[in-house]
Structures are given as structure tokens and as C-alpha cells.
């Protein structure tokens, strides 16, 4: 198993599956084989699938393919790629780029790809069986074959299988008997038109190399009163399960996709464990119908009818229900979650549904690019339903982890489908659909998904003040709510400042991410969000004025500060410390956001460096820090202990005794100290001191209070002791700290400034 999976090695192995439109019949057959074998071997499965899978490029839909970036997750122990399901050539290339450097067993189905283990059915052998059925069972001697594009190897192989049997029996299959098409209904319809018009001689039988072309042929012949099989025998291939929608019932051939899926799982299991490789027969078999004289075999028709009736039943429930109307009335993410819970019954046989949103989903203002990605972005997981009882509180995780340390309420067995959530080219996150038996979703779930996405977009537009301001187009370069530069304005200022640099000089930039893990999606919280924006902008403007720089709001909860000239690393460190101090302890921020919600990163911009690349690199630096904190938040008591820490940092002047704190917060004193240090990396006693010094730093920077008043507010009864402890922890005196951003102090700060230290 993947030894890179930190803390996951004791879990069931997890195999990923890359497919497209998992709701389609062909993919469902393959996945049932995958899931059945995984169930037998005790393996979990994560299926990554897009929704539309267009054959051509569509700008607003291409973002759905970002779901495949999740295959970089270190949780995965193996990967299966169903090549034939990927219709868009550029998507195939991109997925190969994703998987080429993965250090896990990879199986590719439906194609031979150098450097990979590949599994496929022998399509030539399948078509030998089909031709043998027509010639030997029905005595057919004259056959047309309709296949896919001539440039596709699989199209030619299917024809070759038929030709070999014909030649063995002394029969001919000339080039005139082979019709190349596109594997879709219209190719069958066009061939029927040629038969009907007399342009093409009617043979005894037609072999269609997939069911879609066969259905097109049947439907057009039926419309013109042809009688099958008396006038013509027709045989399809694939058995996609839609025979009852066409007349007469098609005779077809079951391509054994389930066996391919099972063999792929067994192969990865053998590679992971060293177990002897299981022999699995992937050959297919005939499915008799009414388009040859064999007649319908009830066993297969009954299976099809059962599936179709279930889909029809759920379609009618979706049509008659009011999910769509109810979902667009939601005023908050909580309302939205409850609505999804109320209508989860509309998805057939699903055991668990989890909504995973990017932490900034509500305020994403630009289209997501499939050419850039980060799996370190913070995400929030909401449990909609689960097979077992689980917590209602949302869980935090990073994108590359796929889901939180423990998927809430999921239990031990996980057959998971990851489906993208996006609108207007913006990626919001994804749904995880869980099954506890070897099952797949169908087209009905896709309708449920579309309604859910539209409702989420409506909720976003209701609640995102930035969206409303963008619609009004109030300012090209400024954020209307705060007056700060917006992202284009900040970049414009950077470009201007950069022109003044010499070749050796570099501009320092500090990026600030605030309010991590907070949910401001509810309308009544928008006023709070704006007030926080204004408070943070005042802090940024204060520091910018001190250093002669400028600042901006790049997106919701993301800000940047730049100096107008080069600074030393020590200067940047001072500015970063001051920013963290005045923002994290600003009255509204510390009350509503608390500790561990503010992250910063700094870089320097040279005269020839790309501004966009620099900003992207800063964002990635911050995401890495958020990922580190997300790992810490997995501790079972993190939330309880964070309440203690937030209270302590808000009111450091109080008496903070460990035993009393445990009583006040209903915590066990027995392991409080050890757990506290394990979670936060600092002892409770030392953190009490740090909370006092942090508040002192804030008061020094934001007020004109004297040292005695500040020491008293921070819980010190001895001013001299406060000053000694302050210097011990900050490396400077209170007065020096207060003046550290003055022009005089930056870049030429004296380390001998001890005039405010008391004499011993």
C-alpha cells in the first residue's frame, strides 16, 4: 500500500478510478465490476468523473475536468483509467499529464498504452463470435458491417473479426460491405436511408459495432414499415441497456466490461499485496433479441426492465417534487444543507452525500483554469446524509486529502463518487456520493446535481456582496466596500512601482489571508463581513502609511501589502509581525474570528518578474500553511481546546489557571496539559504568557496608553517584570516596539535602544 499516505496505512486500501459520465450505461457496467471485486477484497473505491464529457471545448464547462486533479492525492494506493470513456482528445492528454509521475500501480482499460499495464476485451474475438452466430446459427451469407471512424484502431479490429469468420466459411466481406461512421445514432439512420432509397442493396444482416448505431438503424426502418428479422437481421454490440425503447428488441452482444473492471482491481491488489494474480475471463456473450430469429431471452430483458422502471420511478418523483423550487429559496448554507437532506431520497440507493466546498467558494470572482491547480486549498465538508450517525459540524480538510481524516458518518466501507460542482466556469468544490454496496448512480442523479448547483449559484449571488458590486461595476481599480485597491488596481500599482526599481532592487509584497474556516454565506452575516473588511482595511492602511506603501483587497478574505521601495528581510519581518498583531487583535476580528484564522506570506518582486506569478506563488505559500493547520485540526479535542485559547487571547488580563479553566470549559484536567501542547505546540502556561505579550503588542501599536496601563491590562501587577518578559520574548523593549515602523527605525534600527528598560 502507498507508504506516503501519512496516518492512512491502517485503513482499507483506496483505489481511484478515472472515468467520464459515470451515469452512462457503459461506465456503470465497468464500475459494477470494479466495485464488486473491491467489495470482495476489502478495498475502498474513489471514482472521479465529470458530468457532461463534451467531445468539443466549451469554456464554461471545461472546469468540470478539474475533478481529475484529485488523483494526485496521497490517499490513493492505486488508479484505474477507463480510457474509452474520455471523448475529448485534449482531456486525454491532460489526464496522462496528471498520472505520468504518480508512484502507485496504474491500470488503463480499453487501450494499449506503452509504459502502463493495460486490460481490454478482445474486440476482434467478440466480433468473431457475432459473425459465427449469424453464419452458423442463422445461415447468413451476406452481411454489412457498420463501424466507427476508420482512423480508430478499434473500428478496424471489429471489422477484421467479422471478416476472419466470413473467410473461414468461404464467404466474402468486401470493402463495399463496410460502412465507416461515428458510433452514434445518426450513422445508423443514414445507412437505413440508403437501404430505403435503394442506393444500397439490402443484405441479409447488418452487424452494428455498437448499440447506438443499431438503434438508429432500427428506428428508421421501423418508421418505414420494415419487418425484422424477416426483411433484415440486425445485431448490436455493447449491450447498453436501452433495448426496450426500440422496436423490435435488439439482438446484441454483451461486451464484458464488468469483468474488465474486476480484473483491473484484482491486478492492483496483486501489485499491492504480492498475492497471486486471479484469472478472470473477460470474454463476452450473445444477448438474444427479436432482430434475429432466436427471440428474446427473458432473463436479460427482466434485468433491463427492472433498471428502467427504477429510473422511471425516480424521474417521476423528481418531476413531481418541489426540490428545485425549495432549493432556490435558501438564505444560507445551513438552509441549503437542510434542503439537500430533505430531498436526498431522490437519488437511488445512495447511502451518503457529502458537500465539499472551497473555503472561498462564495466569493470566487474569476473562472477556474484547468491549466493551474493546487491541492493545498482549504475545503469544508458538510455531511448531508451518511450510513452511520455523524457530527453535524462541518469538517475542515485540504483538497489533496480528498475528504477529512474521517469522513463523518461514513463507516468502514467507502465506495465514493467525486462529482464536480461548478457554474459559469467557476469551481465551487465537489459532491461525494457514497454507496455501501457495489452500485452506481444514474442519469436521475445528474438532474439532482444540476438543481443543487443552480441553487448554490443563486445562494452565492444572494449573499456575495462582491458579486453585487461587480454587477454594478462601480470602480475599475478599487474595492467599493473598503476603498482599497482591488486585484487589478493593486497589480497596476505594483507595475508602476516596479518601473522605478533598478535591476538589483526588489519590491517586498506581503499577502494576508483572514477568516480561515469561517462561514459568511448567510445574508445576515454580510453586515458583519463588511464591518470586518473595513476594520482590516484600516489596519492595512495604518501599516501602509507607516512604510510609505500601498495595499489592496485581492478577493474575499485575501489582502496584500507592498512597500514602494526595497526593504531588508528584517524590515519585512517587522512589518509582518505588526500586521499580524493589529489584525488578529482588532476588536471585531478577535471576537468573531479568533486565533488560528490569519495567515501571511511574503515574497519580493524583481523588475523582470511576472506579477501574476508572484501573487500565485504567495497564494500557494499560504495554502501550504493552511494545510499544516488543517492537519493539526484533526485532533479529537481541537475545537474544545481552541475555545479555551480564543478566550485566553481575547482576555489575557484574567487569571488563567489550568484547573479552573478545565472546570469552566468542562474539560478533563488529567490530560489537559499534554493535549494542549500536542495540539498547539506550546504549553498552556507558556501560551498564557504569549497571549499577554500579544495583547501588549497590539495596545502599543494601536493606542497611546503608557507602559504601566498596558502592563496592568495584560494581567501584570509588576510593571518591571512585564518589561523584562516583553523583551525576553520579543527581543526589544516596549517603546522600541511601538516606534519600530517609523522611518527612523526601519532599515537602521539600533539594537542598543534600551532607554525604557528599568535599571536593576
Amino acid at each position: 500500500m502507498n507508504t506516503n499516505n501519512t496516518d492512512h496505512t491502517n485503513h482499507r486500501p483506496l483505489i481511484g478510478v478515472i472515468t467520464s459520465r459515470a451515469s452512462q450505461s457503459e461506465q456503470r457496467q465497468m464500475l459494477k465490476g470494479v466495485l464488486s471485486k473491491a467489495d470482495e477484497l476489502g478495498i475502498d473505491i474513489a471514482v472521479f468523473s465529470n458530468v457532461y464529457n463534451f467531445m468539443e471545448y466549451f469554456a464554461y464547462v471545461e472546469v468540470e475536468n478539474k475533478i481529475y486533479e484529485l488523483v494526485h492525492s496521497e490517499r490513493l494506493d492505486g488508479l484505474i483509467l477507463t480510457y474509452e470513456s474520455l471523448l475529448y482528445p485534449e482531456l486525454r492528454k491532460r489526464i496522462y499529464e496528471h498520472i505520468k509521475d504518480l508512484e502507485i500501480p496504474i491500470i488503463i482499460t480499453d487501450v494499449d498504452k506503452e509504459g502502463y499495464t493495460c486490460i481490454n476485451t478482445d474486440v476482434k474475438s467478440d466480433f468473431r463470435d457475432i459473425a459465427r452466430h449469424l453464419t452458423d446459427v442463422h445461415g447468413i451469407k451476406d452481411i454489412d458491417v457498420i463501424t466507427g471512424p476508420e482512423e480508430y484502431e478499434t473500428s478496424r479490429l471489429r471489422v477484421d473479426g467479422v471478416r476472419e469468420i466470413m473467410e473461414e466459411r468461404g464467404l466474402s466481406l468486401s470493402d463495399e460491405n463496410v460502412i465507416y461512421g461515428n458510433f452514434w445514432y445518426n450513422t445508423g439512420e443514414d445507412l437505413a436511408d440508403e437501404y430505403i432509397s435503394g442506393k444500397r442493396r439490402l443484405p441479409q444482416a447488418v452487424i452494428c459495432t455498437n448499440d447506438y448505431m443499431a438503434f438508429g438503424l432500427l428506428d428508421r426502418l421501423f418508421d418505414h414499415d420494415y419487418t425484422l428479422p424477416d426483411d433484415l437481421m440486425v445485431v448490436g454490440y455493447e449491450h447498453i441497456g436501452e433495448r426496450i425503447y426500440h422496436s423490435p428488441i435488439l439482438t446484441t452482444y454483451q461486451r464484458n466490461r464488468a469483468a474488465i473492471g474486476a480484473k483491473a482491481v484484482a491486478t492492483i491488489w496483486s501489485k499491492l499485496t504480492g498475492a497471486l494474480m486471479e484469472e478472470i475471463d473477460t470474454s463476452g456473450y450473445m444477448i438474444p433479441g427479436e432482430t434475429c430469429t432466436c427471440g428474446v431471452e427473458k432473463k436479460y430483458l427482466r434485468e433491463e426492465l427492472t433498471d428502467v422502471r427504477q429510473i422511471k420511478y425516480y424521474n417521476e418523483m423528481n418531476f413531481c417534487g418541489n426540490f428545485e423550487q425549495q432549493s432556490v429559496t435558501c438564505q444560507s448554507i445551513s438552509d441549503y444543507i437542510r434542503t439537500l437532506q430533505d430531498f436526498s431520497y431522490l437519488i437511488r440507493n445512495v447511502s451518503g452525500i457529502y458537500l465539499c466546498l472551497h473555503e472561498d467558494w462564495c466569493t470566487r470572482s474569476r473562472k477556474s483554469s484547468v491549466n493551474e491547480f493546487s491541492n493545498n486549498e482549504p475545503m469544508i465538508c458538510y455531511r448531508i446524509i451518511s450510513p452511520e450517525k455523524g457530527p453535524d459540524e462541518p469538517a475542515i480538510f485540504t483538497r489533496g486529502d480528498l475528504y477529512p481524516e474521517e469522513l463523518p458518518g461514513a463507516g468502514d466501507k467507502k465506495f465514493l463518487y467525486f462529482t464536480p460542482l461548478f457554474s459559469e466556469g467557476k469551481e465551487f468544490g465537489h459532491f461525494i456520493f457514497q454507496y455501501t454496496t457495489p452500485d452506481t448512480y444514474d442519469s436521475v442523479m445528474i438532474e439532482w446535481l444540476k438543481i443543487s448547483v443552480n441553487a448554490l449559484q443563486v445562494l452565492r449571488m444572494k449573499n456575495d456582496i462582491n458579486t453585487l458590486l461587480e454587477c454594478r461595476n462601480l470602480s475599475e481599480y478599487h474595492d467599493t466596500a473598503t476603498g482599497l485597491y482591488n486585484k487589478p488596481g493593486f497589480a497596476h500599482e505594483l507595475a508602476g512601482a516596479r518601473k522605478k526599481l533598478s535591476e538589483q532592487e526588489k519590491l517586498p509584497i506581503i499577502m494576508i489571508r483572514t477568516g480561515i474556516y469561517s462561514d459568511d454565506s448567510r445574508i445576515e452575516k454580510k453586515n458583519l463581513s463588511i464591518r470586518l473588511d473595513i476594520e482590516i482595511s484600516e489596519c492595512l492602511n495604518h501599516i501602509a502609511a507607516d512604510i510609505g506603501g500601498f495595499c489592496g483587497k485581492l478577493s474575499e478574505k485575501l489582502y496584500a501589502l507592498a512597500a514602494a521601495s526595497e526593504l531588508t528581510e528584517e524590515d519585512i519581518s517587522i512589518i509582518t509581525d505588526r500586521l499580524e498583531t493589529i489584525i488578529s487583535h482588532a476588536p471585531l476580528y478577535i471576537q468573531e474570528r479568533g486565533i488560528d484564522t490569519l495567515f501571511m506570506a511574503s515574497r519580493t518582486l524583481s523588475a523582470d518578474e511576472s506579477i501574476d506569478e508572484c501573487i500565485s506563488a504567495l497564494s500557494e505559500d499560504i495554502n501550504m500553511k493552511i494545510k499544516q493547520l488543517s492537519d493539526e485540526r484533526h485532533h479529537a479535542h481541537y475545537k474544545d481546546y481552541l475555545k479555551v485559547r480564543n478566550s485566553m487571547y481575547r482576555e489575557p488580563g484574567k487569571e488563567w489557571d489550568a484547573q479552573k479553566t478545565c472546570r469552566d470549559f468542562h474539560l478533563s484536567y488529567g490530560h489537559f496539559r499534554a493535549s494542549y501542547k500536542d495540539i498547539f505546540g506550546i504549553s498552556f502556561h507558556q501560551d498564557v504568557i504569549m497571549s499577554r505579550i500579544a495583547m501588549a503588542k497590539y495596545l502599543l501599536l494601536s493606542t497611546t496608553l503608557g507602559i504601566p496601563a498596558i502592563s496592568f491590562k495584560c494581567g501584570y501587577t509588576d510593571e518591571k517584570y512585564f518589561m523584562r518578559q516583553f523583551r525576553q520574548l520579543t527581543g526589544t523593549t516596549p517603546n522600541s516596539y511601538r516606534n519600530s515602523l517609523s522611518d527612523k527605525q526601519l532599515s537602521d534600527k539600533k539594537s542598543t535602544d534600551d532607554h525604557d528598560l528599568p535599571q536593576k
Side-chain angles (χ1 to χ4, degrees):
M1 284 179 279
N2 185 359
T3 55
N4 293 325
N5 290 7
T6 305
D7 295 331
H8 305 309
T9 52
N10 293 326
H11 293 187
R12 289 158 52 106
L14 179 65
I15 295 178
V17 180
I18 295 177
T19 191
S20 286
R21 288 191 71 183
S23 59
Q24 280 194 313
S25 174
E26 298 95 316
Q27 279 63 260
R28 292 178 65 202
Q29 291 173 22
M30 175 85 73
L31 289 169
K32 285 188 176 180
V34 167
L35 297 171
S36 295
K37 180 55 67 175
D39 195 29
E40 176 187 327
L41 296 174
I43 296 172
D44 289 335
I45 296 294
V47 179
F48 307 103
S49 175
N50 59 18
V51 178
Y52 297 101
N53 193 32
F54 288 129
M55 295 181 67
E56 300 175 357
Y57 172 77
F58 289 94
Y60 279 171
V61 177
E62 186 188 32
V63 67
E64 72 169 346
N65 296 322
K66 288 181 72 64
I67 196 71
Y68 300 119
E69 296 168 358
L70 297 179
V71 300
H72 291 273
S73 173
E74 291 187 354
R75 280 187 185 265
L76 296 180
D77 297 295
L79 187 67
I80 299 169
L81 167 59
T82 64
Y83 176 87
E84 203 171 72
S85 69
L86 308 173
L87 301 179
Y88 184 40
E90 286 301 315
L91 176 59
R92 290 176 175 175
K93 292 179 185 177
R94 193 174 297 122
I95 285 178
Y96 279 131
E97 285 297 310
H98 282 309
I99 70 174
K100 68 179 182 180
D101 296 323
L102 297 181
E103 297 180 353
I104 55 177
I106 298 175
I107 306 296
I108 302 181
T109 68
D110 308 319
V111 73
D112 290 325
K113 181 72 173 176
E114 186 177 353
Y116 294 94
T117 302
C118 300
I119 298 175
N120 199 356
T121 53
D122 186 344
V123 292
K124 184 187 285 189
S125 176
D126 289 349
F127 278 88
R128 286 171 61 90
D129 287 349
I130 293 171
R132 195 179 290 115
H133 178 81
L134 287 174
T135 57
D136 297 0
V137 176
H138 297 293
I140 298 296
K141 299 180 179 180
D142 180 17
I143 298 175
D144 280 355
V145 180
I146 181 171
T147 188
E150 187 172 6
E151 63 270 22
Y152 288 7
E153 183 184 18
T154 187
S155 302
R156 300 192 300 273
L157 285 173
R158 299 174 192 208
V159 174
D160 291 345
V162 177
R163 181 173 282 122
E164 287 180 5
I165 294 299
M166 297 285 282
E167 290 176 353
E168 282 181 13
R169 282 144 181 76
L171 303 173
S172 171
L173 183 71
S174 69
D175 291 343
E176 291 183 359
N177 295 112
V178 179
I179 301 95
Y180 290 98
N182 62 3
F183 284 132
W184 200 238
Y185 294 99
N186 63 300
T187 301
E189 293 167 353
D190 292 344
L191 178 60
D193 288 339
E194 291 190 24
Y195 292 146
I196 294 165
S197 66
K199 289 182 180 179
R200 179 179 288 273
R201 180 184 58 82
L202 192 69
Q204 290 178 289
V206 177
I207 296 176
C208 302
T209 60
N210 76 358
D211 283 357
Y212 294 109
M213 294 188 293
F215 292 146
L217 176 66
L218 288 186
D219 293 346
R220 188 58 57 89
L221 293 175
F222 181 82
D223 290 342
H224 287 79
D225 297 325
Y226 277 71
T227 302
L228 277 65
D230 296 341
D231 296 332
L232 178 71
M233 289 191 186
V234 177
V235 179
Y237 182 66
E238 302 277 13
H239 187 217
I240 63 172
E242 298 178 4
R243 296 192 302 163
I244 67 161
Y245 297 121
H246 308 274
S247 180
I249 300 294
L250 178 68
T251 295
T252 188
Y253 189 90
Q254 176 67 71
R255 185 180 184 187
N256 204 342
R257 293 181 180 275
I260 298 174
K263 189 170 183 177
V265 173
T267 304
I268 291 179
W269 177 253
S270 176
K271 290 176 179 287
L272 291 176
T273 64
L276 188 65
M277 179 59 201
E278 179 183 356
E279 289 295 327
I280 297 177
D281 182 13
T282 60
S283 57
Y285 45 90
M286 293 296 301
I287 305 287
E290 297 172 342
T291 57
C292 72
T293 56
C294 293
V296 173
E297 192 165 328
K298 289 185 178 179
K299 178 180 74 171
Y300 299 117
L301 187 61
R302 187 180 298 114
E303 291 173 356
E304 292 177 57
L305 284 170
T306 299
D307 196 43
V308 167
R309 285 166 180 162
Q310 281 191 341
I311 292 175
K312 180 176 182 292
Y313 172 74
Y314 279 89
N315 265 325
E316 289 178 350
M317 284 204 298
N318 272 277
F319 180 76
C320 297
N322 65 338
F323 179 33
E324 189 169 8
Q325 291 78 13
Q326 189 72 24
S327 63
V328 295
T329 64
C330 298
Q331 299 294 306
S332 70
I333 197 69
S334 300
D335 293 346
Y336 181 71
I337 298 300
R338 283 192 293 271
T339 302
L340 295 184
Q341 290 170 340
D342 290 344
F343 291 93
S344 61
Y345 69 90
L346 294 175
I347 303 178
R348 180 180 59 84
N349 295 345
V350 72
S351 300
I353 305 174
Y354 305 88
L355 172 66
C356 300
L357 295 174
H358 288 286
E359 196 267 341
D360 62 343
W361 72 273
C362 194
T363 56
R364 295 200 157 196
S365 58
R366 70 182 183 94
K367 288 187 289 187
S368 306
S369 171
V370 295
N371 297 317
E372 57 184 51
F373 80 95
S374 168
N375 271 345
N376 295 321
E377 296 179 43
M379 299 192 76
I380 306 175
C381 176
Y382 299 91
R383 183 181 67 89
I384 310 302
I385 62 169
S386 58
E388 298 179 4
K389 186 174 177 58
D392 292 327
E393 298 81 10
I396 309 300
F397 69 104
T398 52
R399 187 171 185 249
D401 289 336
L402 299 183
Y403 46 80
E405 179 70 13
E406 296 295 338
L407 195 57
D412 293 332
K413 189 184 296 185
K414 302 180 185 70
F415 299 147
L416 308 175
Y417 291 81
F418 291 74
T419 308
L421 269 170
F422 64 96
S423 180
E424 296 182 330
K426 301 180 183 74
E427 181 196 21
F428 297 153
H430 55 262
F431 272 113
I432 301 177
F433 297 97
Q434 180 187 8
Y435 293 82
T436 53
T437 58
D439 206 347
T440 65
Y441 61 75
D442 50 41
S443 57
V444 179
M445 190 285 288
I446 300 302
E447 293 304 313
W448 188 94
L449 179 67
K450 290 178 181 178
I451 293 172
S452 302
V453 171
N454 289 337
L456 194 65
Q457 174 69 335
V458 170
L459 177 62
R460 175 180 177 271
M461 295 181 70
K462 286 179 182 177
N463 296 330
D464 182 15
I465 187 67
N466 284 329
T467 301
L468 298 177
L469 294 176
E470 284 170 13
C471 292
R472 293 169 61 190
N473 195 25
L474 295 179
S475 174
E476 181 181 3
Y477 282 143
H478 288 83
D479 175 73
T480 311
T482 63
L484 299 178
Y485 287 118
N486 56 20
K487 188 173 183 179
F490 186 76
H492 182 265
E493 283 297 304
L494 273 180
R498 187 175 58 176
K499 290 178 181 178
K500 301 174 184 177
L501 295 177
S502 67
E503 289 185 4
Q504 292 77 28
E505 286 183 312
K506 294 184 177 182
L507 282 179
I509 306 172
I510 301 172
M511 182 174 284
I512 307 101
R513 183 74 187 275
T514 66
I516 299 297
Y517 310 128
S518 58
D519 175 20
D520 295 335
S521 62
R522 194 169 184 87
I523 286 177
E524 54 264 34
K525 284 192 175 182
K526 281 299 148 186
N527 182 47
L528 169 64
S529 180
I530 295 171
R531 286 162 55 208
L532 281 164
D533 264 350
I534 293 171
E535 184 179 66
I536 293 166
S537 68
E538 290 172 352
C539 296
L540 291 170
N541 282 324
H542 174 71
I543 300 294
D546 283 342
I547 65 172
F550 53 93
C551 50
K553 181 182 177 185
L554 307 187
S555 63
E556 191 70 8
K557 303 178 186 176
L558 187 66
Y559 308 85
L561 174 76
S565 59
E566 189 170 37
L567 296 175
T568 67
E569 288 186 10
E570 185 180 7
D571 292 338
I572 296 171
S573 177
I574 290 171
I575 295 167
T576 302
D577 173 76
R578 279 33 172 193
L579 275 171
E580 182 175 7
T581 297
I582 65 170
I583 293 176
S584 65
H585 282 76
L588 190 60
Y589 191 93
I590 197 169
Q591 181 63 38
E592 297 294 336
R593 296 290 181 256
I595 303 301
D596 291 346
T597 64
L598 179 68
F599 293 85
M600 289 189 286
S602 64
R603 284 180 178 255
T604 53
L605 178 71
S606 62
D608 58 353
E609 188 178 357
S610 164
I611 291 174
D612 287 342
E613 289 179 4
C614 183
I615 290 176
S616 295
L618 283 166
S619 295
E620 185 64 19
D621 292 344
I622 286 180
N623 286 337
M624 289 297 294
K625 294 181 179 182
I626 294 172
K627 182 182 187 307
Q628 184 178 354
L629 176 63
S630 297
D631 294 340
E632 295 170 2
R633 290 173 68 100
H634 291 151
H635 194 286
H637 300 293
Y638 178 84
K639 291 182 179 179
D640 294 331
Y641 282 54
L642 184 61
K643 289 178 183 177
V644 173
R645 198 174 195 220
N646 278 330
S647 296
M648 187 167 68
Y649 273 78
R650 289 183 193 121
E651 301 179 274
K654 284 177 57 177
E655 183 77 22
W656 287 97
D657 171 75
Q659 287 189 339
K660 182 177 184 301
T661 298
C662 288
R663 288 196 301 271
D664 291 344
F665 286 87
H666 308 291
L667 300 172
S668 168
Y669 178 70
H671 62 280
F672 174 78
R673 290 178 181 274
S675 296
Y676 193 96
K677 187 169 185 178
D678 182 45
I679 294 171
F680 300 117
I682 186 173
S683 70
F684 176 73
H685 174 71
Q686 191 64 24
D687 212 15
V688 171
I689 296 172
M690 292 303 297
S691 71
R692 292 174 175 177
I693 298 302
M695 180 59 76
K697 288 161 66 176
Y698 172 72
L699 294 173
L700 286 166
L701 294 176
S702 62
T703 73
T704 57
L705 290 174
I707 304 301
I710 289 176
S711 65
F712 179 77
K713 277 181 169 290
C714 294
Y716 291 91
T717 56
D718 185 338
E719 175 192 341
K720 294 179 181 180
Y721 178 65
F722 159 69
M723 295 175 72
R724 281 196 294 270
Q725 198 166 69
F726 187 94
R727 177 158 189 170
Q728 180 184 0
L729 293 174
T730 66
T732 188
T733 65
N735 277 336
S736 292
Y737 184 87
R738 172 172 266 166
N739 299 320
S740 59
L741 283 187
S742 67
D743 294 336
K744 194 185 293 186
Q745 295 276 343
L746 275 179
S747 299
D748 62 350
K749 183 170 59 70
K750 308 297 184 187
S751 61
T752 57
D753 185 7
D754 299 340
H755 66 273
D756 59 349
L757 272 178
Q759 299 299 313
K760 292 184 180 179

